[in-house]
Each structure stands twice: as C-alpha cells, then as structure tokens.
Amino acid sequence: SAPSVSTHGTSSIPLAPAPDVPVWDVSNFLVVDGHLVLVGRDEEASCRSRNRTGSSISESTNLHPAGGRRDLDLATDERSTRGAGRSTESETSATSQFSNVKGLLWKRLRERKGRGVPKNETPAVTVPDSERVISRSSSRESLLPAPSAAELDLTRDNVIVRPVHGSIVGEKFCFQIITSEGSRSFGCTSLAERDRWIENLRRTAQPNKDNCERLELALSLWVYEARDLPPRRRFRCHLHLDGTLFARTTAKVAGPDGELFWGELFQLAALPPARALTLALCRDDHPSQPVASITVPLAELAASRQPLERWYPLSSSGGGERVPSVRVRGRYREVRVLPIVRYKELAEFITFHYRELCARLEPTIAVRHKEELAGALVRVLQSTGKAKSFLIDLGVAELDRFDDREALIFRENTLATKAIDE
C-alpha cells in the first residue's frame, strides 16, 4: 500500500526505554499459553522458584555486563532454553517433556499467587549467585521494584513489541515489550534471533494480526555531520520523536574548525504515531542539556518518496556568532497494510510471472526504483518459497543479455544486481 503522511496523535504509554535500563537475557524466557515466563538456569529440569523481581536486580547479584563471558554450564543451558523459545511451533509441540515443564511452570505461578504476597513486598528468596538471572545492566537508577517478568501477559489489549536501538540500552539486538503497566527490554545474541522473537511475540499478542488492517511507521535517518560547533568538545546527536529519545549517535570530538563527522544510519521501525523529529546536539559530559536543537515535522520527511537531505540550522541558547547546523538525510514512511487475503492475487501473479514482469520493467524504470522493486520482489518471493528460483532466473537472464561482454556482468544497476544485494 502507498505510504501516507501521519496525522495521528501520541500515546501515553512509555514508548522508549530510558537510557541504561536493565536488559533481560531473552534466553531465560519461554512463551507459555500467551505469557512470557521467566525460567531459571535449571528450570526445565527442576522448576525451582527464582528470585523474580522484574527488571530491578540489585548490584549485589554479580551482574554480567553486556558482552561478558558466562560460565560453560550456563551457556549450555541458555542454548537449550533459547532453542525452546525460538519458534511458536516448538513452544506448542506435544512432547511429554515440555508438557511437564509447562504444567509445573503454571503450578508454580498459581502457588506464588495463592500465597497472597502484597504488591509492595518481595518474598525473600536466597539464590546462589551462580544461579541468578542475568541482567545486562547494573544501573542504579533502575532498582525500584517492578512486577515480575514471569507474569507478562501478552494476551491483554494494547501490548506493543518493538525493536530498541542499541544506542539507548547500550547493546545490540534488543527489543521492548510495552504493556499498560510499563515496559521491559530484552537482549538477544543476533539480529535474526531478535527478529524471530519479535515476530513470535507479536503473533502471540495478536494471533489475528495478518487478517487485520494496520499501520506500520518507520524512520530512516542518516546523520552525516555538523559544523560551527564549539571546537574540541565531544558531542552526540540525540534523536527524539515527540520529545521521547529513540536513538543517539556515538560521541565524537569536534575539530579545531568546529566540524564533526558521524556518518551514522538509524533504521527505526515499528514506531508509535508521532508528529515531529527533534535533533539535539548534546555534550557528552552534559547529555541532559542540549547545546542546540532543531525540530523537523515528520510530514516534511514523508512528503517525498525519496530521502530528503539538507543542512538544518540549529537553534542555540549560547547566542554566539556562528549558528551550529547539522546535515541529515531522512525518510519517514507510514504504510497502511491491508489484510493478507487482499494480497493473494498479487502474490500469485508475482510468483508465476516475475520473469515477464522484470523483463517489461527493466528498461523503463529508474535505478532508484529498481532497488525498491527488487527488494519488494525478494521479500514477496521469499514468503512464497520462490526467492531462490527468482535469483537464478534473473542471473541467467543477465548472462544471456550481456553475451560476450563478460566484464559487465553483475556490475550494472540492474534488477538482478539489486535483488542479489537484497
């Protein structure tokens, strides 16, 4: 469906985690009957109760920082737990071992609720340090009690599952679950694992997702450089959507002439409805006090089908002679996705007639459109199981077209080269 300009308001739900919040290791969780359940190191074997204090684990639990090495036994158990949680099919398989684990998990949860522990009290459970659930952050700002992560109900209304940019939580491959009670962040070991978890959790939260019309909002932003900054100072560029911080660049030192180059790309997907993007330049040692900023209406970035690039002069409170400015290139997209049944005929046509389609469009469309079309064709044909045949057929057609000019094969801006890149 064609993109359109957003006209929606903002939500009162916390839409992005605060910097340096604790990040739960997703390999310690399973999805059971629509609930995200916390399991321990040996939970599958003995289902022993864990110290479930949500995302507020004190520093006394010997926290492992992001990227830290774990002991061999724990790594082995994490692999087994991750294998059980990677797909909805494996979670619902009728093996006797998992059925027993499933029943024991719910029995343990019922027993915990039956004890009637007040919400403002946490039962004292002594757990050896080597068996505590690993959090990847030791922020002192996030030590307030929170509801147990073992009781995250994904079947409630308004459950949002979205990726989180690594610059916010301090590590890559993270996602966030937002409910009416708050939000929690979870870390994965790879991009593929994160995407798999996000898709499975979204389908758990909304099993009928493919049959409903929805909006998908995304922002692609290249933050290139800044000029006329105070020299020899370390700066970051913060990206805010309607006042909420969603990403930030690395900290770099401005040169003696006040110029600074980042060259960083931010792909922010599954965004909440928003109206404005604010770019704020902040000193690394004073991140809460912007040196200068500019607010760009997202409608401006959505009006063009191609990314919009320009220098933006920043409003500064310093009143100096030189006004700082930043060069960015961005595109905001709001895509209305129809129920999947509405795409059935299109998917069938592409699957069986992609050769003729590419042959007709190849000589008539611009290079920038070839890249977008090739990416869309690859994704559609991947879902129908024909992506491999598609690439082979385009490659053979490329060989036939160039004939004896072998030096140019796969070196021009054709649908074949763009599809292979995708």
Side-chain angles (χ1 to χ4, degrees):
S1 178
S4 59
V5 178
S6 175
T7 58
H8 299 277
T10 57
S11 170
S12 59
I13 300 175
L15 299 173
D20 303 323
V21 296
V23 178
W24 288 88
D25 190 337
V26 77
S27 63
N28 289 320
F29 290 82
L30 289 176
V31 178
V32 182
D33 286 348
H35 290 68
L36 190 65
V37 180
L38 173 65
V39 295
R41 175 182 172 187
D42 53 358
E43 192 78 16
E44 289 189 353
S46 62
C47 274
R48 288 186 292 177
S49 179
R50 292 291 171 198
N51 183 13
R52 294 170 180 170
T53 57
S55 59
S56 54
I57 297 181
S58 66
E59 294 180 335
S60 62
T61 57
N62 293 336
L63 303 175
H64 293 249
R69 295 185 60 86
R70 304 181 177 98
D71 59 86
L72 181 60
D73 293 337
L74 183 53
T76 303
D77 291 324
E78 284 180 351
R79 285 193 296 271
S80 64
T81 304
R82 188 180 302 118
R86 277 185 175 177
S87 67
T88 306
E89 295 179 359
S90 63
E91 289 156 3
T92 57
S93 62
T95 61
S96 59
Q97 179 182 3
F98 186 76
S99 297
N100 292 337
V101 172
K102 183 176 173 181
L104 289 171
L105 283 170
W106 279 113
K107 179 181 177 182
R108 185 66 64 183
L109 288 175
R110 286 194 297 270
E111 290 176 353
R112 182 178 180 276
K113 292 179 180 180
R115 287 196 294 267
V117 179
K119 291 183 179 180
N120 60 347
E121 296 181 10
T122 302
V125 180
T126 303
V127 182
D129 287 345
S130 61
E131 295 185 356
R132 293 182 187 271
V133 177
I134 295 176
S135 169
R136 302 187 181 185
S137 172
S138 56
S139 172
R140 294 179 179 270
E141 299 173 359
S142 306
L143 302 182
L144 297 178
S148 172
E151 298 179 32
L152 278 179
D153 186 356
L154 302 176
T155 62
R156 294 183 179 180
D157 294 335
N158 301 322
V159 174
I160 301 174
V161 183
R162 55 176 298 273
V164 176
H165 197 268
S167 62
I168 299 298
V169 294
E171 59 177 293
K172 297 180 180 179
F173 317 130
C174 295
F175 65 89
Q176 179 187 20
I177 298 179
I178 305 172
T179 65
S180 58
E181 299 177 352
S183 66
R184 290 183 185 82
S185 299
F186 300 83
C188 303
T189 58
S190 67
L191 179 62
E193 184 184 31
R194 188 198 71 177
D195 291 345
R196 186 165 53 245
W197 268 96
I198 289 177
E199 181 63 21
N200 289 340
L201 291 172
R202 284 177 177 170
R203 292 193 179 278
T204 300
Q206 190 179 4
N208 201 35
K209 171 186 152 195
D210 287 340
N211 299 321
C212 300
E213 185 173 325
R214 66 185 188 273
L215 291 175
E216 292 191 355
L217 310 177
L219 174 67
S220 299
L221 193 73
W222 292 259
V223 181
Y224 289 127
E225 58 183 323
R227 64 188 179 191
D228 297 329
L229 298 174
R232 299 182 179 86
R233 301 278 188 173
R234 291 176 61 87
F235 290 96
R236 294 178 185 264
C237 185
H238 290 201
L239 281 59
H240 298 259
L241 292 176
D242 285 357
T244 301
L245 177 64
F246 273 81
R248 53 188 177 182
T249 65
T250 55
K252 292 189 177 181
V253 179
D257 53 357
E259 295 185 355
L260 191 158
F261 182 81
W262 285 291
E264 297 183 24
L265 169 62
F266 297 89
Q267 299 276 18
L268 305 179
L271 294 174
R275 295 183 182 275
L277 164 69
T278 299
L279 303 171
L281 281 176
C282 302
R283 285 178 50 179
D284 193 32
D285 52 351
H286 293 90
S288 61
Q289 301 175 1
V291 175
S293 64
I294 181 68
T295 297
V296 181
L298 289 173
E300 181 180 318
L301 299 179
S304 174
R305 293 189 62 87
Q306 298 302 315
L308 179 64
E309 179 176 343
R310 59 174 292 189
W311 281 95
Y312 287 96
L314 306 178
S315 60
S316 175
S317 59
E321 296 181 359
R322 299 188 304 176
V323 177
S325 56
V326 61
R327 182 169 70 97
V328 299
R329 181 169 180 254
R331 183 185 182 190
Y332 180 73
R333 288 176 294 173
E334 179 182 282
V335 179
R336 188 176 300 277
V337 182
L338 302 177
I340 195 170
V341 67
R342 302 280 294 274
Y343 298 101
K344 181 179 178 181
E345 293 184 7
L346 175 62
E348 290 178 352
F349 174 79
I350 292 175
T351 300
F352 295 106
H353 301 284
Y354 59 76
R355 297 181 187 87
E356 298 92 324
L357 180 65
C358 292
R360 292 290 184 90
L361 293 178
E362 180 80 63
T364 61
I365 61 177
V367 172
R368 62 179 182 274
H369 296 146
K370 287 181 181 179
E371 184 172 358
E372 191 170 358
L373 174 62
L377 290 175
V378 167
R379 289 191 291 273
V380 170
L381 294 170
Q382 180 75 18
S383 67
T384 62
K386 298 288 288 185
K388 181 178 179 181
S389 299
F390 170 66
L391 292 179
I392 291 174
D393 290 338
L394 283 190
V396 171
E398 187 93 342
L399 294 175
D400 293 340
R401 187 167 66 90
F402 282 106
D403 196 16
D404 57 346
R405 295 178 296 160
E406 296 182 356
L408 297 178
I409 294 176
F410 301 123
R411 292 179 180 271
E412 291 188 339
N413 291 317
T414 62
L415 282 172
T417 57
K418 298 301 182 183
I420 290 172
D421 290 341
E422 180 70 22

